[in-house]
Amino acid sequence: MFRNQYDTDVTTWSPAGRLFQVEYAMEAVKQGSAAIGLRSKTHVVLGCVNKANFELSSHQKKIFKVDDHIGVAIAGLTADGRVLSRYMRNECINYSFTYESPLPVGRLVVQLADKAQVCTQRSWKRPFGVGLLVAGLDESGAHLYYNCPSGNYFEYQAFAIGSRSQAAKTYLERRFENFTDSSRDDLVKDAIMAIRETLQGETLKNSICTIAVVGVGERCHILDQGIVQKIIDTFEIAAEQEGPAAEPDAATGQETAPEQGDAAVQGGSTDEGVAPKDI
Amino acid sequence: MTKQQANWSPYDNNGGSCVAIAGADYCVIAADTRMSTGYNILTREYSKICKLADKCVMASSGFQADVKALQKQLAARHLIYQHQHNKQMSCPAMAQLLSNTLYYKRFFPYYSFNVLGGLDNEGKGCVFTYDAVGSYEKVGYSSQGSGSTLIMPFLDNQLKSPSPLLLPVQDAVTPLVEAEAVDLVKTVFASASERDIYTGDKLEIVVINADGIRREYMELRKD
């Protein structure tokens, strides 16, 4: 996209009927590291790629528990995402307090969308630069929504946002018809595989991805890294067809040897077992 | 022209008594389950005990509508704390929060007389006792409610350390073992039920220790 003379203000239309500031905000989402979500009839799984800007730093938190029955994964300006998560948590707590029942996901995403829309129609504001994958459970079942900076929201069976998300989307498109009846564990496996697609050659290890699950009878929670590593190992072993590449150290998820047949591309850090700093 | 007086009160007293005793590695919190208004009984099976956090339990007597509102407030604040800090609130932290919440309504108080019990960060039992507007103190044992005037002197007799000024320094927590403390609580309520008309029906006992939280019930006089 080249610079336009109608893109300085969010309150200026272009002659073609576009709001460029809003579209630029959606670009910011595409620049963030990938986040994916998929759902079955009873469970929703969120996953994200943990990208640290520098080798020495920790990665940013991109998956937030909003309530026992709602979780959110973000891509884009993580600061905006953090603020919106806080808003969502507040809304859930207030609704629970007043009505003694959980806030239906569908209501929450509408409130989020309306909040985003406000920022597209005020000259002193800017649109949020973050896309949110909202995963939740309510009386009508499991839901996955995507909230745009534009103020639109859509419900999905499976979706991926952020950089290199097209690879994950392609993977999900091929398999989404099976998701409705998938078991919870298969869903988690598919989520990790989808994340692997976005890595495009980087080694898949538990330090590079975070997975959260919410489902019927299962409160929203982030999966322990040891468990994630175990799941990674099951399909790495199947893929390799030669003896297991690594004995996982559950606590830190270190790898003893890089996979054979891996390209010269080494995943991010030279320090292999860096456990992501979780706040 | 005499000053106009209100012909109704926003408060009511639903009666009942609460007790908490702190031990070296446990805490016992107990309350009766009778809810009354005036000389009538509203129900014989109302719990005055509320779990605020993993290791923190509160028992409150007084106006139960205010108690319920207070419990909901604290639960919501605890949820926010968990989101921000990724862990449960400790008992001393909850104690301060309760005090602040009560004082917030200094000029239209929660008619709620509370005892907070639980384990502190080192696993030792702790009990905090409050007045209606948030003044609180960490103690080894306490009672609140309609039966407290009957219960407190008895607890003093059994548990009170001679003087905080004596040497060697004595711990506020009782040297009693968990089973003894639970027994003491049962005795205390059985006696209080004899003379306090607002205390009786059933006794609910909650014990917090390193293994978690456990609940026990005992029948009391129904009259």
Side-chain angles (χ1 to χ4, degrees), chain A residues 60-262:
Chain A
Q60 289 179 307
K61 196 162 165 193
K62 286 160 53 79
I63 295 194
F64 300 91
K65 173 176 171 170
V66 165
D67 204 346
D68 283 341
H69 65 298
I70 301 181
V72 65
I74 64 173
L77 264 51
T78 44
D80 284 1
R82 209 175 52 237
V83 158
L84 285 176
S85 302
R86 195 163 56 227
Y87 167 76
M88 291 164 81
R89 285 169 173 170
N90 248 345
E91 290 300 301
C92 284
I93 290 175
N94 289 335
Y95 188 95
S96 250
F97 187 96
T98 310
Y99 299 102
E100 292 271 341
S101 76
L103 175 56
V105 208
R107 295 259 184 100
L108 181 59
V109 294
V110 175
Q111 282 173 255
L112 252 182
D114 288 346
K115 197 169 162 69
Q117 192 280 340
V118 166
C119 297
T120 66
Q121 213 176 6
R122 304 282 183 271
S123 60
W124 62 90
K125 288 185 187 249
R126 63 158 176 84
F128 286 104
V130 64
L132 302 117
L133 283 169
V134 182
L137 240 52
D138 63 24
E139 284 167 359
S140 48
H143 299 274
L144 174 68
Y145 292 93
Y146 171 52
N147 277 69
C148 281
S150 59
N152 283 326
Y153 68 97
F154 308 93
E155 185 165 2
Y156 287 94
Q157 183 76 44
F159 201 49
I161 56 178
S163 71
R164 301 193 284 206
S165 59
Q166 188 50 53
K169 264 188 259 187
T170 316
Y171 174 86
L172 294 169
E173 271 165 27
R174 266 186 274 130
R175 330 208 37 235
F176 77 94
E177 264 142 8
N178 303 327
F179 288 161
T180 315
D181 298 312
S182 238
S183 75
R184 176 227 188 249
D185 291 333
D186 283 341
L187 216 60
V188 174
K189 250 189 232 148
D190 274 320
I192 299 181
M193 306 269 272
I195 291 186
R196 188 167 66 166
E197 299 295 314
T198 68
L199 295 176
Q200 306 215 328
E202 273 178 69
T203 34
L204 174 66
K205 32 184 186 180
N206 69 350
S207 55
I208 210 163
C209 64
T210 303
I211 307 283
V213 184
V214 60
V216 173
E218 186 174 358
R219 287 200 204 138
C220 176
H221 66 287
I222 295 180
L223 291 189
D224 177 62
Q225 293 299 93
I227 296 178
V228 174
Q229 185 61 48
K230 281 210 185 79
I231 302 176
I232 292 176
D233 290 336
T234 52
F235 47 79
E236 297 288 86
I237 290 172
E240 286 305 321
Q241 296 292 352
E242 299 150 6
E247 241 349 77
D249 176 2
T252 59
Q254 282 173 327
E255 273 186 355
T256 51
E259 267 86 273
Q260 296 165 323
D262 222 15

Side-chain angles (χ1 to χ4, degrees), chain B residues 169-191:
Chain B
V169 171
Q170 287 206 9
D171 225 344
V173 300
T174 177
L176 285 183
V177 131
E178 186 184 303
E180 289 172 328
V182 172
D183 226 49
L184 176 59
V185 159
K186 291 180 177 171
T187 312
V188 139
F189 267 90
S191 304

Side-chain angles (χ1 to χ4, degrees), chain B:
Chain B
M1 177 79 187
T2 44
K3 184 175 178 182
Q4 264 214 314
Q5 296 276 355
N7 55 4
W8 69 281
S9 164
Y11 297 113
D12 186 16
N13 190 350
N14 299 120
S17 319
C18 315
V19 160
I21 301 179
D25 60 350
Y26 66 88
C27 188
V28 180
I29 301 98
D32 70 322
T33 60
R34 173 177 288 176
M35 185 161 147
S36 34
T37 172
Y39 287 125
N40 303 310
I41 294 182
L42 287 172
T43 176
R44 298 191 192 274
E45 293 178 37
Y46 190 81
S47 174
K48 300 192 202 14
I49 302 184
C50 175
K51 175 176 150 181
L52 297 176
D54 255 358
K55 304 275 173 176
C56 188
V57 165
M58 176 173 82
S60 324
S61 92
F63 181 36
Q64 290 301 322
D66 273 358
V67 167
K68 182 65 120 194
L70 179 62
Q71 288 170 353
K72 287 179 75 161
Q73 262 285 70
L74 293 172
R77 289 302 310 277
H78 186 220
L79 203 44
I80 294 174
Y81 182 97
Q82 283 177 76
H83 282 142
Q84 290 177 343
H85 301 260
N86 222 21
K87 63 172 188 168
Q88 299 261 331
M89 268 177 102
S90 67
C91 197
M94 188 58 86
Q96 185 67 53
L97 177 63
L98 174 54
S99 171
N100 292 342
T101 308
L102 290 169
Y103 196 80
Y104 200 72
K105 282 182 41 89
R106 171 68 178 78
F107 299 110
F108 183 10
Y110 288 106
Y111 193 141
S112 167
F113 300 98
N114 313 294
V115 280
L116 195 75
L119 302 179
D120 63 17
N121 286 321
E122 291 140 29
K124 253 177 42 176
C126 57
V127 168
F128 299 89
T129 188
Y130 294 79
D131 72 0
V133 284
S135 159
Y136 81 112
E137 189 190 357
K138 179 164 188 278
V139 287
Y141 60 92
S142 178
S143 78
Q144 294 280 355
S146 58
S148 68
T149 44
L150 300 167
I151 296 174
M152 206 56 181
F154 185 67
L155 291 178
D156 284 336
N157 177 271
Q158 297 293 306
L159 302 174
K160 189 172 181 152
S161 47
S163 165
L165 300 172
L166 269 187
L167 287 175
V169 171
Q170 287 206 9
D171 225 344
V173 300
T174 177
L176 285 183
V177 131
E178 186 184 303
E180 289 172 328
V182 172
D183 226 49
L184 176 59
V185 159
K186 291 180 177 171
T187 312
V188 139
F189 267 90
S191 304
S193 309
E194 295 288 318
R195 294 290 179 177
D196 177 22
I197 59 173
Y198 300 108
T199 301
D201 289 330
K202 206 156 56 162
L203 171 62
E204 183 183 6
I205 307 174
V206 170
V207 182
I208 309 183
N209 53 26
D211 302 328
I213 301 192
R214 115 172 167 268
R215 209 168 283 250
E216 221 181 289
Y217 293 94
M218 187 185 91
E219 293 297 318
L220 295 173
R221 285 187 71 132
K222 316 267 176 230
D223 64 356

